[in-house]
Amino acid sequence: MAGVIRKLAQNPVTFSKFFTSHSVGINTNVIAQRLFSTGAIQFQREFVLTEKTGSKKNIGLITLNRPKALNALCDGLMKDLSDAVDEFEKDREIATLIITGQGKAFAAGADIKEMQSLTFAEVVTGGFLSHWLRVSQCRKPVIAAVNGYALGGGCELMMMCDIAYASETAKFGQPEILIGTIPGAGGTQRIIKIAGKSKAMEICLSGNQFSAAEAEKMGLVSKVLPPDQLLPEAIKLAEKIGNNSKIVVGLCKEAVNRAYETTLTEGLNFERRIFHSTFATEDRQEGMSAFIEKRPPNFQDK
Ligand SMILES: CCCCCCC[C@H](O)CC(=O)SCCNC(=O)CCNC(=O)[C@H](O)C(C)(C)COP(=O)([O-])OP(=O)([O-])OC[C@H]1O[C@@H](n2cnc3c(N)ncnc32)[C@H](O)[C@@H]1OP(=O)([O-])[O-]
């Protein structure tokens, strides 16, 4: 449905006709809005806004939009997020995705109110929060622009992204232990790979919050920025990545991610094979020719 609305939204007249004639039975989670002032097209699901941004409109911006609950990651929000990632992954124009939050939180974790009364049997047999993995499975690069609280599942969501920038006001932590549970979406597994055992244990066992400066020091985020610079800088980085060959960017992401999953020897073998495989692309030929001819490359994503 979002795809249909996207096409129709290019033409506001057709769009308004379609919207009024299809208002019965339309997925009410998806409301398309045409923003005439900026020329940008923004889609509003119930809990997530999506927009194509950047000078070439090739950056997929996803904004978590449940500010009253500090973007607590309820089932509906995670479904909307998963759909938004699907939409941008399918869109051939989109090179890079950015995930950010609305209000004072990036995300304050999984929705405690939604989880509070669940039983062991329900979470085990019900495929509870099974769509949480979608962001980490995206083939395109994903940048987290962490604007505020990134706690519990919010911190885990950030770590599922490939690169994280943080606002100076952001706060991080894995406070699950304080409510009688443990991180369930990578908190115990990813922090240790980034910051080592002592830090990972301190964070997960104490539930202490830590600042953006500390997150940068331990390598959890790569840059800390003034709040008003966060999104512009994330977009600038996304555009820089978007100037490269999409096919080679995807291969490079796969190679870096492999380091998480395997031994150094296996990883080096994998990297070498991926390096060799870039020689099957036209973009590798173009990139090297452009260097020698002292001109910018014109990648065709082939
Ligand atoms: C495939 C497997 C998947 C596994 C998934 C797993 C999970 C993950 O590892 C588990 C978690 O994240 S566990 C979670 C780990 N996270 C935590 O433990 C952090 C919990 N949150 C906090 O500690 C505090 O809210 C802050 C310190 C963030 C802000 O404090 P402040 O500035 O005084 O603000 P305030 O007044 O407190 O909040 C404003 C409103 O937002 C509401 N709300 C906020 N977070 C919520 C949440 N997670 N939930 C629901 N609601 C949440 C809050 O109730 C209030 O609503 P009300 O209707 O007006 O009452």
Side-chain angles (χ1 to χ4, degrees), residues 118-232:
L118 292 176
T119 64
F120 173 73
E122 281 166 340
V123 293
V124 171
T125 56
F128 176 58
L129 302 177
S130 52
H131 32 266
W132 269 61
L133 301 177
R134 183 64 187 90
V135 170
S136 59
Q137 293 163 342
C138 182
R139 280 178 286 105
K140 295 181 180 177
V142 186
I143 300 171
V146 182
N147 54 302
Y149 288 113
L151 300 176
C155 191
E156 293 170 310
L157 174 61
M158 174 196 75
M159 289 188 286
M160 286 178 206
C161 299
D162 302 306
I163 301 170
Y165 278 4
S167 151
E168 289 162 350
T169 55
K171 286 267 181 212
F172 301 82
Q174 297 292 158
E176 290 88 343
I177 201 87
L178 305 176
I179 56 166
T181 185
I182 73 161
T188 64
Q189 303 300 300
R190 288 198 172 98
I191 294 179
I192 197 166
K193 293 209 159 86
I194 299 165
K197 180 173 169 180
S198 179
K199 272 286 172 202
M201 285 288 189
E202 184 188 343
I203 291 166
C204 295
L205 299 182
S206 71
N208 284 346
Q209 290 183 19
F210 51 96
S211 67
E214 287 171 273
E216 185 183 26
K217 203 164 132 200
M218 64 179 91
L220 221 52
V221 306
S222 51
K223 212 178 242 187
V224 178
L225 296 148
D228 62 338
Q229 288 299 304
L230 176 67
L231 206 48

